[in-house]
Amino acid sequence: MRTKYLYILGLVIGMHFSALGQNGNSNFISSAASQNQNCESDLASVNLSNENIEYIGRWDFSGQCPKVWAPGAYLRFRFKGNSCWFIIEDENLWGNHNFIELVIDNSIENRIRLSGKLDTISLPTNLDSGEHTVLICKDTEAGIGYIKIKEIHCAAIMPGKLSSERKIECIGNSITCGMGSDESYKKCGTSEWYDQHNAYMAYGLRTARRLNAQWHLTSVSGIGLVHSCCGSSTEIPEVFHRTSLGIDGKNWDFDKYIPDVLTICLGQNDGIQDSTLFCNAYVNFIKLIRTYYPETQIVCLTSPMGDKTLNDVLKKYINSVVERRKSEGDNKVSKYFFKKRYIRGCGTHPNIDDHALIADELEIELRKLMCW
C-alpha cells in the first residue's frame, strides 16, 4: 500500500489534517504550541515571487499570494538546510477540503488532506543540512476550490532551474483529474466524492515525470464536448480559457505555457452522440486550441474507462476528426487508442495501479511521437 496515515496539527489550535505518505514519516507532525520549536525562528520568510520558485500550472498572481484551482498544478524549489515550513490556505469551498501532494527530494511522496482555512506544514526534522528539493502539487480539482500559498520559510532558496524544457498538457475529464483513484484516505462510497482524488498519481502526470517534462492538467470531472454528465450544462470549450477552469473568472494567459505535446481524452461523458454533432465539436475544439498553440502536437485518445461499445464509436469519431484536420492542413494531429479498459477505482474509474498502466501505454506512444 502506497500510503500510511500521518497527522499534523495546523496553525490554529485543534486544526489537524492527515498526511498520507509512502514512508509514514511522523516528522511531519507539528502544532501551534510547538511551532516555534519545530520551525526554526531564524528561518527567513521567502518572497513568494522569488524567481527560483517554479510555479507550473494555471496560477493566479493577481493578489498578494499565488493561488490555483487546477488539478496537478504545482510549485517547486530547492532550499539549503534541514528545515523548511510553509502555510497553505484552503478555500474550503462548501466545506470541501483540498488534498495536496508533498514530494521531497523527488522521492518521498506524501498525500496530505488539508482540514482548516490555514494549514502549516513542516518538513521532516531529520533532513541533513545540504540541499533539498520540494514539490507541492494540488491533488484535487478546480471544483473543490483553490489553494493559496501564504508563506514559505526556509534558510535559503537556492538558484537554478529544476524543470526540463519539455512540456505536456493533458485535457480531459474526471479520469485525467485522477478522480476515484486513491482509497488510502477513505474507501469508495464511505466519504465525499473528492476524497479519492489524486492528480499527482494520475496517468498524465506519471507520463510527464517519466518523460522528464513539465505538465498541465486542464481537466474537469463530468465534462464533455457536447454533453456533460451529472447535471452540468457546461462543456470543455466554455472553460478551457479560464484560469479557474470555471465559467467565471479571469482568462488564462496561454503565452505562459505552450506545450510541446497535448493529449485530449474526452467522450466518456458525452457517450454515443450524433456523429456529425460530436465530430464537428471535436474539430472546432482543436481549432480553438490551435489559436493558442499553433505548433503543438495534439494526440486524441479514447477513454481508458470506456466499455467496448463506447470506445468502438469513439475510435470512429477520432479517426474522422484526425483525417479531417489533416485534410485541412493540420499535420500535427494524431490518435492513440488504449488497448485495455481500466476500471478498478471508485465508480469504475481507473485506480492508482490502473493509472500506472495507462501511463505505460501513453509513455511509449509519446516517446515515439516526440522522439523523447
Side-chain angles (χ1 to χ4, degrees), residues 5-11 14-20 28-30 86 88 97-100 102 111-116 118-122 185:
Y5 291 97
L6 302 170
Y7 293 95
I8 178 171
L9 296 180
L11 188 63
M15 180 188 308
H16 75 279
F17 58 89
S18 60
L20 307 163
F28 281 93
I29 298 172
S30 65
F86 41 90
I88 295 180
H97 289 292
N98 279 287
F99 285 77
I100 63 167
L102 175 63
R111 182 170 176 254
I112 297 171
R113 179 183 181 270
L114 305 177
S115 69
L118 295 175
D119 288 286
T120 300
I121 302 172
S122 302
Y185 172 65

Side-chain angles (χ1 to χ4, degrees), residues 105-315:
D105 294 336
N106 300 314
S107 60
I108 304 173
E109 299 169 344
N110 297 271
R111 182 170 176 254
I112 297 171
R113 179 183 181 270
L114 305 177
S115 69
K117 188 65 176 176
L118 295 175
D119 288 286
T120 300
I121 302 172
S122 302
L123 268 58
T125 57
N126 61 352
L127 294 176
D128 61 47
S129 59
E131 292 187 7
H132 302 279
T133 59
V134 174
L135 182 147
I136 304 168
C137 176
K138 190 173 187 286
D139 268 339
T140 32
E141 63 181 284
I144 313 305
Y146 66 73
I147 61 168
K148 182 184 294 186
I149 307 301
K150 298 287 288 185
E151 297 181 31
I152 298 175
H153 292 260
C154 295
I157 298 290
M158 305 304 294
K161 185 173 177 60
L162 294 171
S163 298
S164 99
E165 295 300 322
R166 296 175 179 177
K167 296 178 180 178
I168 292 175
E169 181 168 351
C170 300
I171 297 174
N173 47 43
S174 57
I175 306 166
T176 306
C177 289
M179 176 187 169
S181 63
D182 190 338
E183 296 184 78
S184 59
Y185 172 65
K186 289 187 178 179
K187 296 295 183 181
C188 301
T190 66
S191 60
E192 300 293 341
W193 67 283
Y194 48 83
D195 283 333
Q196 292 83 31
H197 274 62
N198 193 332
Y200 183 79
M201 299 301 289
Y203 75 88
L205 275 64
R206 284 177 181 264
T207 303
R209 291 195 294 275
R210 294 180 189 182
L211 295 174
N212 189 29
Q214 302 176 41
W215 64 75
H216 272 211
L217 289 192
T218 308
S219 56
V220 180
S221 282
I223 209 151
L225 271 166
V226 298
H227 172 77
S228 297
C229 85
C230 315
S232 174
S233 60
T234 303
E235 280 77 52
I236 189 70
E238 300 174 78
V239 301
F240 177 64
H241 61 292
R242 297 294 190 192
T243 300
S244 65
L245 297 181
I247 291 296
D248 300 321
K250 62 186 294 186
N251 288 347
W252 169 244
D253 181 359
F254 285 92
D255 290 337
K256 290 182 177 180
Y257 187 93
I258 299 177
D260 301 299
V261 59
L262 176 149
T263 63
I264 302 175
C265 186
L266 294 168
Q268 180 68 42
N269 296 306
D270 294 277
I272 298 174
Q273 296 288 333
D274 175 83
S275 60
T276 301
L277 174 69
F278 185 86
C279 291
N280 282 343
Y282 209 135
V283 168
N284 288 335
F285 184 49
I286 292 176
K287 289 179 179 178
L288 173 63
I289 293 170
R290 280 283 176 247
T291 65
Y292 303 114
Y293 308 143
E295 300 298 325
T296 295
Q297 178 70 47
I298 296 174
V299 184
C300 305
L301 307 173
T302 49
S303 172
M305 65 179 281
D307 60 21
K308 185 179 186 304
T309 301
L310 175 61
N311 271 333
D312 282 349
V313 173
L314 286 178
K315 289 175 185 178

Side-chain angles (χ1 to χ4, degrees), residues 48 78 167 277 289 317 325 331 355:
L48 296 176
R78 181 188 295 114
K167 296 178 180 178
L277 174 69
I289 293 170
Y317 293 165
R325 285 303 297 151
N331 292 314
H355 278 281

